[in-house]
Amino acid sequence: MPPFRAEHMGSLLRPQNLLTVREAIRDKGLSPEEAGLPAIEKEAVGNVIKLQQELGFKAVNSGEFNRTRFWGLMWDEFDGTVALQEAEASMFRLYHPDVVSLIEKDRKVMPGDSVIAGSKLKHNRETSKSNLHELKLVQQFVPEEEWKNIKLTMITPAWFHMRYKQGKAYAEGVYENDEEYFQDVAKVYQEELKMLYEAGLRNVQFDDPGLAYFCSPEFRSGYASDPENTVPIEDLLDSYITLYNNSLSLLPSDLHTGVHLCRGNFIGGRHFASGAYDVIAQKLFTELNVNTFYLEYDTQRAGGFEPLQYLPKNKNVVLGVVSTKLRELESKEELKRRVEEAVGWIAKGSGESREEAFKRVAISPQCGFSTHESGYPLSEEDQRAKLRLVREVADEIWGEA
């Protein structure tokens, strides 16, 4: 079962012909079929899976080639959601790291694609197609006996809620309060995961920059000074953990779940926030019911490994110690030293031997290589070198997949 000793976080650099076709669809008004997208997308996904297989990665995925942004179209496909075109700034937490970084100053406000609940949220198998399409596309290039290793990345259930002011994640009158809203979000995720499990999914990774933003002093300060917030920030974190746990509550035991925390990895290698895990680690690691934590750890922006002492014995950690923002290759010896340091803190907190703690650790790049489809500082050769480095270091530490 996942996680494997060498992992990567999902998004990979798109080939130019795929970017060109998507540009034609956007700019010329062509349908995907008129532009030739299905064939080009399939070829690109096949090639990127071959790359992962050649480099020795077990948890292969689509590279997120089916998406423009890492969160994809999943939320757009739920019944009840409304995509925002021009939104008032008063809807948003203007201290939320994504909103701060992506707001367009000459418009009202639009931090990337954004949706709210315009009516009650419901899952609809007729319209919830993008994740299923992505999974089935990957399955075409993987032997059936290895389908269980395929990793599908999925946006956190709290993604849109966190960027909006309190009570603004849904239109007026749709929900009485956040608790009612979260109940429907959990039901929608339960149904989506059930559908994907029936199609063969056994490995899901939730991408959640928002959890890492709770580590940001700037976000915490902004939240505390916002007079519209009637819920303390620790209660907000509690509500998100509960939302996750409810969303995952009906899953079969053989579906591996993980959550990836990141402080931003956008066009040009930008990050959005800083702050160590210390402030959330004990609560997050002990109360969030996932199997694995995929943690950004490539710079001092994420702090030290001390918070790993709170990792329970039944959970794993994947250390994101390789940068996807900087082209320079990390030192193998330094990476090994850092893994050793992390293992020491895990063993100290759990009372395990170092040998036992090592069994619950893996390594990866800090984030994806292309969380938006274009504009990243690494080349395809840089990406290959980084992935090869992860695989080689994992082999030299553990000697297994």
Side-chain angles (χ1 to χ4, degrees):
M1 289 287 291
F4 300 100
R5 299 305 184 191
E7 290 265 350
H8 75 84
M9 292 303 95
S11 65
L12 297 167
L13 295 169
R14 278 73 157 175
Q16 185 57 49
N17 63 340
L18 181 61
L19 295 175
T20 300
V21 167
R22 292 196 184 282
E23 184 179 359
I25 293 171
R26 286 193 300 269
D27 296 347
K28 299 180 181 179
L30 299 178
S31 71
E33 290 72 24
E34 289 171 333
L37 177 64
I40 290 175
E41 183 180 76
K42 181 176 180 179
E43 179 186 30
V45 170
N47 288 339
V48 82
I49 290 171
K50 183 179 179 181
L51 169 68
Q52 294 168 75
Q53 292 168 333
E54 289 175 348
L55 291 171
F57 285 80
K58 301 292 185 182
V60 300
N61 76 344
S62 69
E64 298 182 1
F65 284 5
N66 312 87
R67 315 179 191 188
T68 299
R69 294 175 172 87
F70 71 95
W71 60 84
L73 295 173
M74 174 179 167
W75 270 77
D76 299 77
E77 296 168 344
F78 296 153
D79 284 356
T81 57
V82 175
L84 301 183
Q85 300 301 320
E86 292 282 354
E88 295 291 343
S90 59
M91 287 187 64
F92 293 86
R93 303 186 195 277
L94 298 180
Y95 46 87
H96 183 284
D98 278 353
V99 176
V100 171
S101 298
L102 299 178
I103 188 171
E104 297 179 19
K105 300 295 185 183
D106 58 338
R107 299 171 61 184
K108 293 182 180 179
V109 67
M110 188 50 58
D113 296 335
S114 211
V115 304
I116 63 169
S119 58
K120 297 287 188 183
L121 296 176
K122 295 181 181 178
H123 189 266
N124 185 340
R125 289 198 177 204
E126 295 300 313
T127 57
S128 289
K129 296 179 178 180
S130 58
N131 284 334
L132 191 60
H133 165 70
E134 192 170 335
L135 175 63
K136 290 184 174 181
L137 187 56
V138 176
Q139 288 173 340
Q140 293 181 45
F141 299 98
V142 176
E144 189 168 353
E145 62 270 19
E146 296 179 16
W147 284 7
K148 65 183 183 299
N149 299 334
I150 294 170
K151 179 161 67 175
L152 183 74
T153 60
M154 188 179 294
I155 191 60
T156 165
W159 175 242
F160 290 111
H161 180 274
M162 190 177 181
R163 61 172 53 181
Y164 296 121
K165 289 269 193 174
Q166 186 168 315
K168 298 296 185 181
Y170 37 88
E172 186 175 355
V174 174
Y175 292 106
E176 290 189 12
N177 50 44
D178 281 352
E179 184 178 2
E180 189 178 284
Y181 166 79
F182 289 147
Q183 288 174 356
D184 274 359
V185 173
K187 290 176 184 176
V188 168
Y189 269 72
Q190 289 170 3
E191 289 298 316
E192 178 79 5
L193 289 164
K194 179 181 179 182
M195 179 182 71
L196 294 167
Y197 182 88
E198 291 170 356
L201 180 67
R202 297 295 183 271
N203 186 10
V204 63
Q205 170 191 300
F206 294 94
D207 288 323
D208 199 337
L211 287 177
Y213 296 164
F214 279 98
C215 305
S216 163
E218 290 78 13
F219 175 72
R220 298 179 76 91
S221 174
Y223 188 94
S225 62
D226 184 346
E228 296 183 43
N229 289 327
T230 62
V231 177
I233 195 167
E234 293 307 316
D235 288 357
L236 183 67
L237 177 58
D238 286 340
S239 71
Y240 289 168
I241 291 174
T242 299
L243 173 58
Y244 261 112
N245 291 343
N246 289 339
S247 298
L248 305 177
S249 61
L250 303 182
L251 289 184
S253 60
D254 63 338
L255 200 162
H256 172 266
T257 57
V259 60
H260 170 221
L261 276 67
C262 172
R263 289 152 184 79
N265 187 46
F266 203 60
I267 297 171
R270 292 160 55 193
H271 70 276
F272 295 157
S274 299
Y277 296 105
D278 304 62
V279 70
I280 65 170
Q282 186 169 10
K283 177 179 290 187
L284 187 71
F285 295 161
T286 57
E287 297 182 13
L288 185 60
N289 296 333
V290 295
N291 303 115
T292 300
F293 292 92
Y294 302 87
L295 302 181
E296 172 187 356
Y297 259 126
D298 63 322
T299 68
Q300 289 302 309
R301 184 170 58 244
F305 294 122
E306 292 86 349
L308 296 178
Q309 65 187 294
Y310 299 113
L311 188 73
K313 289 183 180 180
N314 64 334
K315 296 178 182 179
N316 313 297
V317 64
V318 179
L319 304 172
V321 289
V322 172
S323 175
T324 57
K325 298 179 174 71
L326 303 175
R327 299 182 68 177
E328 181 182 359
L329 275 181
E330 288 79 359
S331 157
K332 279 188 181 182
E333 294 310 310
E334 177 61 12
L335 293 177
K336 292 176 187 178
R337 185 198 66 76
R338 299 195 71 207
V339 172
E340 289 275 1
E341 181 184 352
V343 167
W345 283 105
I346 295 169
K348 178 181 179 180
S350 65
E352 298 171 298
S353 68
R354 293 180 66 87
E355 290 73 18
E356 290 171 324
F358 258 111
K359 295 177 182 178
R360 298 192 289 116
V361 178
I363 64 168
S364 73
Q366 153 264 334
C367 192
F369 286 86
S370 189
T371 52
H372 186 277
E373 66 180 3
S374 62
Y376 284 81
L378 275 67
S379 68
E380 290 189 12
E381 281 307 308
D382 295 328
Q383 174 181 265
R384 180 186 291 269
K386 293 275 186 172
L387 292 173
R388 185 184 297 114
L389 176 65
V390 169
R391 177 72 270 173
E392 289 176 353
V393 171
D395 288 341
E396 292 175 17
I397 294 175
W398 290 280
E400 59 185 59

